[in-house]
Amino acid sequence: MTVKIVNLKVNGVDKALMAEPGTTLLLALREHLGLMGAKRGCAQGACGSCTVLLDGDPVVSCLVPAVTVDGAEVGTVEGLADGRKLSDVQRAFVDGFATQCGFCTPGMIMSAEALLDRNPDPTDDEINEAISGNVCRCTGYEPIVSAIRDAAAARRRASADTASADTASADTASASTASANTGAGQEAQV
Ligand code: FES
Ligand code: FES
């Protein structure tokens, strides 16, 4: 059987692994790279527990042969937190009690991340559509939809705060430049 070297950028870090043709991306992540966040549920593309981002798009990694994604960027749930600080989606799932046994949670969160990356203000229908391939056997879906709605709102607030801070900083820089120019003009007149 031909073994191929597969190079991936996983959560921003370059990785290389040896994969046989039957090695799935899920298997590569879990068993070759030790990233156990994506879960093996059905292994048939039906439950979504193995969802990761492949070049920004959500995929069921149990159906993706690793040898076909050489050179790709992969995002997993392990890459979301900043040290001990949870991402906005992770925080919303915790605060909204949107997880019970947790088996579906990494896949749900990655589907939510993909949605909010392209649509910062989704409707409930759009949220339902985004997680339509993710099955939860525990909580029911309302806390999950609610958590994604809350994460979207938190992300919009953070984005507005950043834009406002940038404007204030640009205004300060502009005032400083004007002041320096005025001062330079005064010196020139002396
Ligand atoms: S384990 Fe991949 S979809 Fe169920
Ligand atoms: S929290 Fe148990 S399967 Fe979703």
Side-chain angles (χ1 to χ4, degrees), residues 35-61:
L35 295 170
M36 309 301 266
K39 300 291 185 285
R40 185 178 186 276
C42 65
Q44 296 180 349
C47 75
S49 66
C50 63
T51 303
V52 299
L53 302 188
L54 185 62
D55 291 330
D57 293 323
V59 296
V60 281
S61 58

Side-chain angles (χ1 to χ4, degrees), residues 98-105 135-139 144:
T99 182
Q100 196 166 319
C101 79
F103 196 84
C104 72
T105 306
V135 176
C136 177
R137 63 189 174 185
C138 299
T139 67
I144 293 169

Side-chain angles (χ1 to χ4, degrees), residues 76-88 90 113:
T76 74
V77 74
E78 287 92 343
L80 298 182
D82 180 7
R84 295 182 64 79
K85 185 173 182 296
L86 297 178
S87 76
D88 46 14
Q90 290 172 312
E113 284 286 342

Side-chain angles (χ1 to χ4, degrees), residues 88-89 111-122 148 151-152 155:
D88 46 14
V89 178
S111 291
E113 284 286 342
L115 170 66
L116 298 190
D117 282 350
R118 65 176 187 275
N119 180 357
D121 193 7
I148 297 171
R155 191 171 294 194

